[in-house]
Amino acid sequence: MKKLLTILGAIGLTATAGLSVIACSKDKNEGNEIDPPVEETIEEIIKAFQEDLNKITTKVYNLAENQSKFTRIIKDGEDQGTYNFFNFNYLSNNFKNESNESEKVFNLRNDGKESEVLMLKDLVQLFTQQQFAEEIRLTLETGDNATRYRNIYMGSVDATLGGFKIAQDKDFKLTNSIIKDEQIYTIEMNISRDMYFKDAEGTKTAYQTYEMPLKIVIGQEGVIMNLIEEVTTKLPTMLYNNKETNNKVSTQLKYDDLKEISSNFKSYGNLNESIAKFINTDVFKEDLKKSIEEILTEEFPSQINFKGDIVTSESVKTSATLFEGGTFKQSKFWVDMGNNAMINSLFLKAKETKALDKNVAITELKKTIIDFDKNFGNFDNKAREFLKAVVPNTSEANEIVEQIYTYGNFALSNIEILINDGTNSDVALPIPTIQIPWTFSNTISEEFTDKGDAFLASLYEAILVLNEKSLQANADASSRAERLFDLEDSFKENIRNNSFGVSWQEIINMIEGNENKEQSLERIIGNTNTWSIMNAYSDFQEDERVQFEGLNILMTFNKAAQNYLVFKKYPDGKIGLGFKKGITLQQIRQIDVEYKVNLGLTRIQAKLPFMGYGNQDSFYDAKDAFNYIEDKDFYGDNRDRGAWVNQVYYERETFAIFVLD
């Protein structure tokens, strides 16, 4: 028997901010061709580019050499630095505390723009052009991104970099503190930077990066300034390296840490909110307090207060994620449904078909990803560099890197450290912005200790749950030329209630009002090639087996599909997606439909089997897993894909991709 060709012209794996599955197809024996898949739209590329601009800015901001600049100790009385506003001489001459108050606040919005103009000049010294240049070249001009961003990158560092900005809707203030006769100034603001890129039309366009809180301190050398410097220098390392053996909580975060305080936590998603909740727990605050007290020592009896949340989800920044955009975009496409166990017995299997073994699936998944080990290596190298500041021991750092999926920093705030100034009065210690490093390890899997295997195991589980609760091959193989897919009842109901701009009854009325009992895609979903089927599905997302945050399900249609597919009423009274009245066999063979599912940051795409596929290096047929196939007669009655398409033509009046009631 001729090998069954495919229900999916192709399925593959790539990543936008994680792994994704992409499909393309070309039939060996027919004249119809499908163009190579467009991995990303210009909109997706621009979004990824902007996210990389944010990460560049965050990395420069968090450089150890820059963090050390946030506390300036002036020796020998005179400020010899070249700063304009962040200059002790300038501040002491222009912002006098004539009444010798222990703390005096100046609103810098009240002096016109003078302070802002000077501070903007200082930001260029705090975060140098050279630092940005190194990160831009590394991130935008080398590796895969050099090709990925070639049409939107401005072509040079100078053309990309715009000016710094001080947020107008946040505080911009100066505080003068007098502690043990030391004059100390604290400047507070939120900053961002304009960066430039070319939009879809090639027009130079500005993008404002994430706002970062910035609090910087300057004062003459003395015991208090030295103490401030010690706190800001030691605290990040202490918090990251706190271990359970020391009865302290560490910012080496694990799945159980975040799951305990966020019951709906998912390993592969946005960690910011869960991390902020964890840091704001009483347990973490108590350990933070102990760490600060260790630094202050008995010489400075202190009282440490927390004035609300010490971290916001907005202040939690991710520096890198193992499965971020572009990491695995160069991957092969799965083809040949009838002979590919990864498709036949996993992604779009019939409900009763036995699922492919998890270990077999993980092995096959790895084969579809080009440079799988290399991509892991690139992430791990970056993670080791990130950890150098807080984990100088190489073997310890390597042990951590083997487990982590993502890492970043968060800014501490709302911490009040009161010390006695020698006059029996408690004075708040001015503390600059302190960026604390964090890492995340997904320790949910007891079966897989390797982080790559653990991710692929979670992907396998999510695909199975998705198949179970949404779209499946028709359980009766012999009738798949009459109805291709079955839908779970709750999935159908969600589509009817949430997937159209009008009510389901209005759609029925429109179809009933047509003499052929059908309506075009344009009438039902609008003038678009993309139908957004579902943006949330609680039955799927609330399942504990799913470790991917968020769900988005789409269908995209080529021009032929837009012309020849309709929503129609069938003789049994059901409404579904099928062919326009009078369609020809040649027109059926021109139809290209992609079914797409975004599992958090992971995308799965599959082409329906109306068009064929050809031999390309980018295709993957899972031939090594052939013996694991369960549904070997996918098209029914020993048909191959071509014979199935012919049978679909004969059943064209009643054929349905799926029905919705």
Side-chain angles (χ1 to χ4, degrees):
M1 181 188 75
K2 182 179 178 181
K3 299 297 184 186
L4 300 181
L5 296 181
T6 183
I7 186 173
L8 306 178
I11 301 177
L13 279 174
T14 80
T16 48
L19 288 176
S20 304
V21 179
I22 287 189
C24 87
S25 170
K26 179 180 178 182
D27 196 280
K28 303 174 187 176
N29 304 312
E30 298 176 16
N32 301 308
E33 297 183 358
I34 294 177
D35 293 331
V38 177
E39 294 183 4
E40 296 174 296
T41 66
I42 185 63
E43 291 79 12
E44 290 172 329
I45 293 173
I46 288 174
K47 183 178 180 181
F49 186 83
Q50 292 171 341
E51 187 58 34
D52 276 337
L53 294 180
N54 286 323
K55 289 180 179 178
I56 289 168
T57 305
T58 300
K59 186 169 183 179
V60 170
Y61 183 93
N62 289 322
L63 288 173
E65 63 184 288
N66 288 341
Q67 294 290 306
S68 67
K69 297 176 187 175
F70 295 171
T71 305
R72 291 195 65 220
I73 299 178
I74 307 305
K75 301 180 179 181
D76 303 323
E78 290 293 319
D79 190 341
Q80 303 298 321
T82 58
Y83 290 101
N84 298 275
F85 189 77
F86 190 30
N87 181 291
F88 188 79
N89 296 344
Y90 177 84
L91 294 174
S92 58
N93 289 331
N94 291 276
F95 297 91
K96 297 182 182 296
N97 187 353
E98 295 174 344
S99 58
N100 283 328
E101 300 173 50
S102 61
E103 185 175 285
K104 184 173 182 178
V105 179
F106 301 87
N107 185 347
L108 299 177
R109 304 283 186 202
N110 295 336
D111 66 349
K113 288 284 186 178
E114 182 178 351
S115 297
E116 183 173 344
V117 170
L118 293 175
M119 190 66 234
L120 286 171
K121 293 179 181 179
D122 290 346
L123 291 176
V124 178
Q125 290 192 61
L126 282 168
F127 312 104
T128 69
Q129 180 93 349
Q130 181 60 33
Q131 291 170 342
F132 274 96
E134 289 177 5
E135 293 304 322
I136 286 174
R137 292 185 183 116
L138 181 66
T139 307
L140 306 180
E141 295 183 357
T142 61
D144 289 341
N145 280 348
T147 301
R148 186 187 192 194
Y149 296 146
R150 65 187 181 277
N151 294 324
I152 60 175
Y153 177 51
M154 293 300 297
S156 71
V157 171
D158 289 344
T160 300
L161 289 175
F164 284 98
K165 288 184 174 180
I166 297 174
Q168 299 299 308
D169 60 342
K170 306 284 195 320
D171 283 342
F172 180 34
K173 65 182 182 181
L174 173 73
T175 302
N176 172 247
S177 304
I178 302 176
I179 308 175
K180 287 186 177 293
D181 297 324
E182 293 182 33
Q183 293 275 352
I184 301 172
Y185 289 94
T186 307
I187 308 168
E188 296 179 61
M189 73 205 91
N190 281 64
I191 65 169
S192 60
R193 186 162 197 174
D194 278 346
M195 303 273 215
Y196 292 97
F197 67 95
K198 299 174 190 173
D199 65 13
E201 286 71 44
T203 303
K204 181 178 180 180
T205 305
Y207 174 73
Q208 182 177 320
T209 61
Y210 292 149
E211 285 186 3
M212 308 287 285
L214 181 62
K215 188 176 181 181
I216 52 181
V217 176
I218 186 170
Q220 291 182 315
E221 185 178 26
V223 291
I224 300 302
M225 283 300 296
N226 290 337
L227 184 62
I228 293 170
E229 184 177 53
E230 194 166 4
V231 170
T232 57
T233 301
K234 291 183 176 180
L235 193 58
T237 300
M238 290 182 70
L239 290 179
Y240 186 77
N241 289 293
N242 279 340
K243 304 290 184 182
E244 290 182 8
T245 53
N246 295 333
N247 254 346
K248 290 183 181 177
V249 181
S250 168
T251 56
Q252 295 181 41
L253 304 173
K254 296 179 171 56
Y255 173 83
D256 291 341
D257 297 327
L258 303 184
K259 182 68 173 178
E260 185 176 348
I261 49 92
S262 295
S263 59
N264 60 347
F265 175 73
K266 303 292 186 183
S267 298
Y268 307 107
N270 188 333
L271 305 181
N272 295 11
E273 184 176 344
S274 296
I275 290 176
K277 285 183 178 180
F278 177 79
I279 301 303
N280 288 318
T281 59
D282 291 340
V283 173
F284 188 91
K285 287 180 178 178
E286 183 61 30
D287 285 348
L288 171 59
K289 180 179 178 180
K290 291 177 183 177
S291 297
I292 296 173
E293 287 172 343
E294 285 182 27
I295 297 171
L296 294 177
T297 71
E298 294 180 1
E299 183 180 352
F300 293 96
S302 60
Q303 179 181 332
I304 300 165
N305 301 318
F306 301 111
K307 303 166 72 173
D309 288 345
I310 58 175
V311 170
T312 64
S313 59
E314 292 78 16
S315 72
V316 179
K317 304 299 183 186
T318 299
S319 299
T321 301
L322 181 58
F323 305 107
E324 64 190 349
T327 305
F328 296 136
K329 69 177 182 176
Q330 299 299 330
S331 59
K332 297 180 180 180
F333 306 109
W334 303 355
V335 297
D336 195 358
M337 174 68 178
N339 300 303
N340 191 323
M342 295 294 288
I343 306 169
N344 185 287
S345 301
L346 182 61
F347 180 50
L348 290 173
K349 71 179 188 66
K351 186 171 185 175
E352 300 302 323
T353 297
K354 181 181 177 182
L356 185 66
D357 176 77
K358 183 188 296 186
N359 289 291
V360 174
I362 290 173
T363 299
E364 295 304 310
L365 282 169
K366 287 182 179 179
K367 294 176 185 177
T368 71
I369 302 170
I370 299 172
D371 293 332
F372 182 87
D373 293 331
K374 178 182 176 181
N375 287 315
F376 270 75
N378 289 341
F379 172 84
D380 289 353
N381 289 336
K382 292 178 184 178
R384 290 187 188 95
E385 188 67 27
F386 172 80
L387 289 174
K388 277 184 179 179
V390 289
V391 188
N393 184 290
T394 302
S395 61
E396 289 183 11
N398 286 338
E399 186 177 337
I400 294 170
V401 168
E402 286 177 2
Q403 299 300 320
I404 63 175
Y405 289 80
T406 186
Y407 59 84
N409 297 77
F410 58 81
L412 289 174
S413 60
N414 291 329
I415 302 174
E416 181 182 65
I417 304 175
L418 298 177
I419 64 171
N420 191 286
D421 66 355
T423 64
N424 294 321
S425 297
D426 288 332
V427 179
L429 195 67
I431 298 295
T433 299
I434 304 179
Q435 290 286 337
I436 306 297
W438 60 266
T439 55
F440 173 70
S441 303
N442 179 19
T443 52
I444 187 174
S445 176
E446 297 179 359
E447 184 180 1
F448 299 97
T449 56
D450 177 85
K451 63 186 177 185
D453 288 350
F455 173 83
L456 297 176
S458 291
L459 179 60
Y460 169 89
E461 293 290 349
I463 292 172
L464 283 183
V465 176
L466 177 70
N467 173 264
E468 173 188 317
K469 296 180 181 291
S470 59
L471 186 79
Q472 308 147 355
N474 184 346
D476 180 7
S478 65
S479 65
R480 287 174 187 161
E482 300 169 36
R483 187 182 71 256
L484 184 54
F485 293 115
D486 290 331
L487 304 180
E488 285 297 298
D489 289 342
S490 61
F491 190 61
K492 288 183 188 178
E493 183 178 1
N494 268 274
I495 294 176
R496 293 195 302 266
N497 293 339
N498 303 304
S499 302
F500 304 100
V502 297
S503 71
W504 182 244
Q505 186 59 52
E506 289 177 88
I507 290 173
I508 293 175
N509 293 342
M510 283 193 287
I511 292 171
E512 291 281 7
N514 179 275
E515 63 178 338
N516 293 325
K517 305 301 181 187
E518 63 186 38
Q519 284 292 348
S520 67
L521 295 184
E522 182 176 353
R523 284 293 308 277
I524 302 299
I525 66 172
N527 185 21
T528 176
N529 70 339
T530 301
W531 175 24
S532 181
I533 297 175
M534 197 169 296
N535 290 316
Y537 185 28
S538 59
D539 281 11
F540 172 79
Q541 291 164 285
E542 293 173 5
D543 193 297
E544 284 293 321
R545 293 170 292 174
V546 177
Q547 285 301 311
F548 294 85
E549 182 183 22
L551 175 72
N552 182 230
I553 301 176
L554 310 166
M555 266 192 172
T556 59
F557 309 94
N558 72 347
K559 200 65 180 176
Q562 290 175 283
N563 289 336
Y564 305 133
L565 290 181
V566 294
F567 286 92
K568 62 192 293 185
K569 183 175 181 179
Y570 291 92
D572 61 3
K574 295 185 180 297
I575 304 293
L577 181 63
F579 296 136
K580 181 179 182 179
K581 187 176 180 64
I583 194 171
T584 67
L585 178 59
Q586 183 63 22
Q587 288 168 343
I588 292 174
R589 289 173 175 168
Q590 294 170 3
I591 290 173
D592 181 23
V593 179
E594 291 181 338
Y595 178 71
K596 304 181 179 183
V597 180
N598 295 332
L599 302 171
L601 301 177
T602 302
R603 175 179 295 170
I604 301 171
Q605 298 187 133
K607 287 182 183 291
L608 274 58
F610 305 113
M611 299 182 81
Y613 68 93
N615 291 319
Q616 294 186 26
D617 291 339
S618 59
F619 287 166
Y620 180 68
D621 58 13
K623 61 183 179 181
D624 293 335
F626 177 79
N627 290 334
Y628 296 96
I629 292 173
E630 295 289 335
D631 193 358
K632 289 184 170 63
D633 188 20
F634 182 82
Y635 295 111
D637 299 329
N638 292 326
R639 300 186 188 101
D640 62 15
R641 192 200 63 83
W644 176 82
V645 171
N646 289 336
Q647 186 63 33
V648 164
Y649 171 70
Y650 290 121
E651 307 285 353
R652 61 191 178 278
E653 295 299 327
T654 56
F655 171 79
I657 295 175
F658 51 70
V659 295
L660 290 171
D661 56 5

